[in-house]
Amino acid sequence: MADILTIIVPCYNEEEVLPETAKELGSILEDLVDQNKVSPKSKILFVNDGSKDKTWKLISRYSKDYPYVTGLKFARNYGHQNALLAGMKTAVRYSDMIITIDADLQDDVKAIYQMVDQYLDGVDVVYGVRNSRETDTFFKRRTALAYYGLMKKLGVHLVPDSADYRLLSKRATEALLQYQERNLFLRGMVPLVGYQSATVYYPRKERFAGESKYPLGKMLHFALDGITSFSIAPIQLILVLGILTTSISILMMIYVCVAKMLGHVITGWASLMISIWLLGGIQLISVSVIGEYVGKIFTEVKHRPRYNIEDENYSDKMEKD
Ligand code: UDP
Ligand code: MG
């Protein structure tokens, strides 16, 4: 019997693309079953992340029409990363491998064939890596590049240009689910799991329909989250900053003493003003950097549930199969 695959698709207000997504993923799944590479019990699991449009209606309808389509409904919007996590947690019990892919068809669905082939060769983690960013704006390309460079300097291992399009084996998924953090940055966590990994390259396209659910603000927040969830380098940098300003102030002290001895003491307004503003600025930045981490600790220690599932038909279907 071939291994069971579950394709997890997070959806937030995706009514415009969902029909096409369901069609394309469905035909690939049927193909894989025909080729006997995955089990006929394999499924697509759409995770509805609190959509306000007809997304859940469509998912429910497809669940009735197609034996391989299933859905999970969040009680409200909990975010992309939580949607992926909930999908994995639900699917891992019944699946031997899991693929996560965005609903908007920006990632080439055909790469799924290669991912499954790699899995069948014994690889546990297969990263989907885009080999071109032509469809991204110049700004997004540059900032992404700078970001990967910065993360590397901070000692965080990321696979450049890989998003949340990847295959995980059952044991890799189980290992990933052991990570208990609330501040999720899955693309940083997956490399921590280890196991043998491989990469599949694909060209990234434009969104099929609808608009991005990651506006600039949300993306910046996500990027910052990635840094502060994985590295305490910013806090360590404060020490360097402190040493630097202390050294400068020692020089200032010598300068002030010499100036006093030489009798030029009326000046000083300028240097005083500069020191006040400079030191005040450095202190505020430092406090806010520490605050960012205290905030992280705050959300972690509360141990709140990461999401609340309102409805789900995946388990039922799997039990019946
Ligand atoms: N998404 C989600 N919850 C959110 C925001 C986005 O589940 O709060 C899903 C969205 O439906 C899509 C994926 O996450 O399947 C990626 O979002 P999008 O394509 O808008 O991001 P971009 O590709 O522009 O970075
Ligand atoms: Mg997208």
Side-chain angles (χ1 to χ4, degrees):
M1 189 69 168
D3 283 351
I4 299 177
L5 162 71
T6 299
I7 302 176
I8 297 168
V9 190
C11 307
Y12 176 56
N13 296 342
E14 298 286 10
E15 62 178 9
E16 284 163 89
V17 286
L18 212 62
E20 183 65 19
T21 311
K23 200 173 95 195
E24 292 202 11
L25 289 177
S27 76
I28 285 187
L29 199 63
E30 283 174 347
D31 226 21
L32 284 167
V33 172
D34 287 345
Q35 292 171 23
N36 217 5
K37 285 187 173 161
V38 305
S39 154
K41 289 186 198 163
S42 297
K43 298 273 181 300
I44 301 172
L45 173 57
F46 289 106
V47 181
N48 176 33
D49 185 13
S51 301
K52 291 179 187 73
D53 63 2
K54 291 201 216 70
T55 300
W56 181 244
K57 253 196 184 141
L58 288 175
I59 297 173
S60 310
R61 176 157 18 113
Y62 297 151
S63 304
K64 286 201 190 83
D65 293 349
Y66 304 98
Y68 54 78
V69 173
T70 60
L72 183 161
K73 186 184 186 211
F74 273 172
R76 66 166 174 85
N77 178 260
Y78 289 96
H80 179 204
Q81 302 286 297
N82 280 316
L84 290 173
L85 200 81
M88 289 194 257
K89 209 165 189 165
T90 311
V92 74
R93 282 179 53 207
Y94 305 93
S95 315
D96 300 298
M97 65 189 120
I98 280 170
I99 290 177
T100 51
I101 184 168
D102 287 354
D104 58 4
L105 297 174
Q106 274 190 292
D107 306 312
D108 187 13
V109 289
K110 295 217 168 58
I112 291 178
Y113 291 117
Q114 288 154 275
M115 288 185 177
V116 171
D117 283 342
Q118 293 279 2
Y119 168 82
L120 294 174
D121 283 345
V123 176
D124 280 274
V125 181
V126 188
Y127 298 101
V129 175
R130 57 191 94 146
N131 56 14
S132 75
R133 273 181 175 269
E134 274 153 32
T135 55
D136 277 353
T137 58
F138 178 75
F139 176 75
K140 193 157 178 178
R141 252 181 289 164
R142 293 309 306 235
T143 47
L145 205 70
Y147 186 65
Y148 287 116
L150 176 68
M151 286 298 258
K152 200 167 167 188
K153 282 214 182 77
L154 294 178
V156 187
H157 179 81
L158 289 182
V159 180
D161 286 338
S162 74
D164 287 304
Y165 184 25
R166 62 176 95 77
L167 178 145
L168 294 174
S169 68
K170 191 188 196 79
R171 62 174 184 170
T173 313
E174 277 166 351
L176 185 66
L177 291 172
Q178 298 290 316
Y179 288 77
Q180 295 295 327
E181 58 227 70
R182 309 293 106 170
N183 296 289
L184 284 177
F185 190 65
L186 287 171
R187 65 191 74 174
M189 290 157 68
V190 174
L192 298 179
V193 165
Y195 292 135
Q196 198 192 339
S197 68
T199 337
V200 165
Y201 293 92
Y202 66 90
R204 184 153 155 107
K205 292 177 275 190
E206 294 274 12
R207 205 170 217 291
F208 180 76
E211 50 197 52
S212 174
K213 274 69 190 177
Y214 269 105
L216 184 65
K218 213 164 157 187
M219 194 140 87
L220 272 179
H221 189 86
F222 187 55
L224 262 182
D225 229 27
I227 296 175
T228 50
S229 292
F230 278 84
S231 163
I232 56 163
I235 295 187
Q236 288 159 343
L237 216 66
I238 295 178
L239 179 66
V240 177
L241 215 65
I243 292 170
L244 208 76
T245 43
T246 312
S247 316
I248 295 172
S249 74
I250 290 172
L251 292 179
M252 282 293 278
M253 240 149 61
I254 297 170
Y255 163 73
V256 169
C257 290
V258 171
K260 188 167 170 62
M261 277 187 284
L262 294 179
H264 318 296
V265 275
I266 341 94
T267 48
W269 180 82
S271 58
L272 210 67
M273 288 309 272
I274 292 170
S275 332
I276 289 171
W277 284 93
L278 185 68
L279 285 178
I282 291 173
Q283 281 166 355
L284 281 179
I285 292 170
S286 307
V287 169
S288 76
V289 170
I290 297 172
E292 181 65 27
Y293 287 91
V294 175
K296 284 260 143 75
I297 298 169
F298 175 69
T299 49
E300 296 294 343
V301 293
K302 278 191 289 194
H303 270 287
R304 285 186 174 166
R306 291 190 265 212
Y307 47 78
N308 180 16
I309 297 177
E310 188 177 322
D311 199 359
E312 183 253 304
N313 59 26
Y314 178 86
S315 313
D316 278 357
K317 270 199 179 177
M318 285 314 248
E319 296 284 349
K320 271 188 210 133
D321 275 352

